[in-house]
Amino acid sequence: MALIAVSGHPGCRYEEVARITAQRLGFELLTQSRIRLLTDQEFGAEIPIPDKAYPSLVTSILARLATENHMVYCAVGGEIQSRHFLGMLRVHVVAPENVRIGNLMLDSRLERPAARQLLLQLEAADRADRKAKFGKTRATADLFDMVLNAESLTSEQMAGLIETAVASGGLKERGFLSPAAEAQLQFQMRLKLARFGIVPPDKITLRKKMFAHQSEEMFANLLDFYRIAWEYEPRSFPIHKDPNGQTLEAFTPDFYLPEFDLYVELTTMKQAHVTRKNRKVRLLRELYPHIHIQVFYQKDFENLIFKYGLAGRPVEA
């Protein structure tokens, strides 16, 4: 798919350039306001989105749209978001301060001192937003394929140059993002979002559980994302008894997935934990051969999702 990421300095009217470009190319336009709307539709308007979760959230939205559309993306950090997609063109619009002040005077009907003050506020907000979401206050020129100067070029002219670059690179002839590529990218983004507890509200089965470890909560959130029913520590299995039949040791797997009749035990990379849990799992399998259990490291989450074909499940917009 083709992704044209258009950004710029405050007051450069780069949003107008993006809109005209989308119209000329026949691409879908994804703006900051539409991202907010799509986020509200999928996750609910009341859910807070931490700044550090924003890049993963937007990439998830982009990936879903990219299976059916070429896009012009006009929002903060577009040059960074686009790295996940092969057919990208990153455009940055700049202009001298006097031009940007003049634009704000016309657009907001302000006198020059007020327009200059507004520009300073917009620049400060832009730096803070970039810092919070992407860790850097500014986007450097090396992150872009084209830098256009609005001092001598109109919005129409800049859109024309972008259109020429798209044609020269054959971006419009690219196919859309394949379902397999989208599934792989969605998994990566959802795993990151799960760390923040962000899942669509209609998929949540989380029941105010007090998890023993953060990885368990993240795993539950990931299961919710893929609409996999789960139970947390639903049953304990005696694995060591005394001669009188009294239980000396029991094993309680972390999760049970009823759809697959599968118990899941999560573990860390610490060898002491791995050895202890492997011993318990081995005893469980010996004593309860009809029980299906699997030990998962975090890296094994992906194997679960793709092994059972869960990545192909539809996700509502």
Side-chain angles (χ1 to χ4, degrees):
M1 51 82 68
L3 175 62
I4 317 303
V6 181
S7 60
H9 292 162
C12 281
R13 293 178 175 165
Y14 63 89
E15 300 92 342
E16 182 178 76
V17 176
R19 177 179 55 79
I20 296 172
T21 300
Q23 290 174 346
R24 294 178 67 151
L25 291 172
F27 285 11
E28 187 84 1
L29 178 62
L30 185 61
T31 61
Q32 195 76 53
S33 59
R34 186 158 181 237
I35 289 171
R36 182 70 256 182
L37 177 62
L38 292 172
T39 300
D40 291 348
Q41 290 175 351
E42 183 167 350
F43 298 98
E46 69 287 347
I47 186 171
I49 305 297
D51 287 326
K52 291 187 177 180
Y54 176 85
S56 301
L57 176 72
V58 174
T59 300
S60 176
I61 292 173
L62 281 169
R64 188 171 68 248
L65 296 176
T67 60
E68 297 180 353
N69 305 280
H70 296 308
M71 283 180 293
V72 173
Y73 177 73
C74 181
V76 62
E79 69 283 354
I80 299 174
Q81 301 288 158
S82 61
R83 72 180 187 274
H84 297 286
F85 305 92
L86 294 178
M88 65 177 179
L89 180 67
R90 301 161 298 178
V91 181
H92 197 54
V93 181
V94 300
E97 183 181 272
N98 66 305
V99 172
R100 292 185 285 144
I101 290 175
N103 288 339
L104 292 176
M105 289 174 64
L106 291 173
D107 296 341
S108 303
R109 297 183 179 182
L110 297 172
E111 296 296 327
R112 179 169 289 276
R116 186 176 188 282
Q117 183 61 36
L118 176 58
L119 180 60
L120 292 175
Q121 293 172 358
L122 292 173
E123 288 178 334
D126 182 73
R127 290 193 298 269
D129 198 24
R130 285 182 176 274
K131 178 66 174 179
K133 292 174 179 174
F134 301 101
K136 295 183 178 180
T137 58
R138 296 182 183 276
T140 54
D142 60 289
L143 295 176
F144 300 97
D145 305 298
M146 296 178 68
V147 177
L148 302 174
N149 194 334
E151 181 179 25
S152 56
L153 296 170
T154 67
S155 296
E156 286 282 356
Q157 289 171 330
M158 286 187 279
L161 290 171
I162 296 171
E163 186 177 18
T164 299
V166 169
S168 177
L171 298 185
K172 203 170 183 179
E173 285 69 46
R174 288 179 176 269
F176 299 134
L177 191 68
S178 70
E182 194 240 346
Q184 186 73 37
L185 189 54
Q186 288 290 7
F187 176 83
Q188 295 169 8
M189 296 305 109
R190 291 173 188 178
L191 182 59
K192 292 179 180 178
L193 290 174
R195 294 189 177 107
F196 297 95
I198 299 174
V199 295
D202 63 323
K203 302 178 181 66
I204 290 179
T205 56
L206 201 58
R207 301 175 184 83
K208 300 294 182 182
K209 294 288 185 181
M210 293 298 293
F211 293 98
H213 194 275
Q214 185 181 13
S215 64
E216 296 175 352
E217 183 172 3
M218 185 180 73
F219 185 65
N221 289 332
L222 187 64
L223 294 174
D224 285 337
F225 237 129
Y226 285 95
R227 291 176 292 173
I228 305 171
W230 56 268
E231 299 173 18
Y232 181 62
E233 296 186 341
R235 181 180 174 186
S236 293
F237 298 90
I239 56 175
H240 185 199
K241 297 182 178 181
D242 65 16
N244 298 320
Q246 297 296 315
T247 298
L248 299 177
E249 185 179 12
F251 179 39
T252 306
D254 295 321
F255 289 89
Y256 176 63
L257 312 183
E259 183 177 351
F260 309 108
D261 188 23
L262 177 69
Y263 287 90
V264 173
E265 176 67 15
L266 304 180
T267 189
T268 67
M269 295 300 291
K270 292 182 179 180
Q271 189 58 46
H273 294 173
V274 173
T275 301
R276 185 165 59 250
K277 289 191 176 184
N278 283 345
R279 169 185 163 275
K280 291 183 177 181
V281 169
R282 185 178 67 255
L283 288 173
L284 180 69
R285 287 171 174 161
E286 291 174 357
L287 296 170
Y288 306 90
H290 62 288
I291 295 297
H292 304 290
I293 185 169
Q294 190 163 351
V295 178
F296 279 98
Y297 298 108
Q298 181 174 311
K299 63 182 177 62
D300 294 321
F301 293 179
E302 184 173 359
N303 295 335
L304 172 70
I305 298 301
F306 286 92
K307 176 181 177 181
Y308 291 101
L310 303 174
R313 292 188 175 190
V315 178
E316 295 84 350

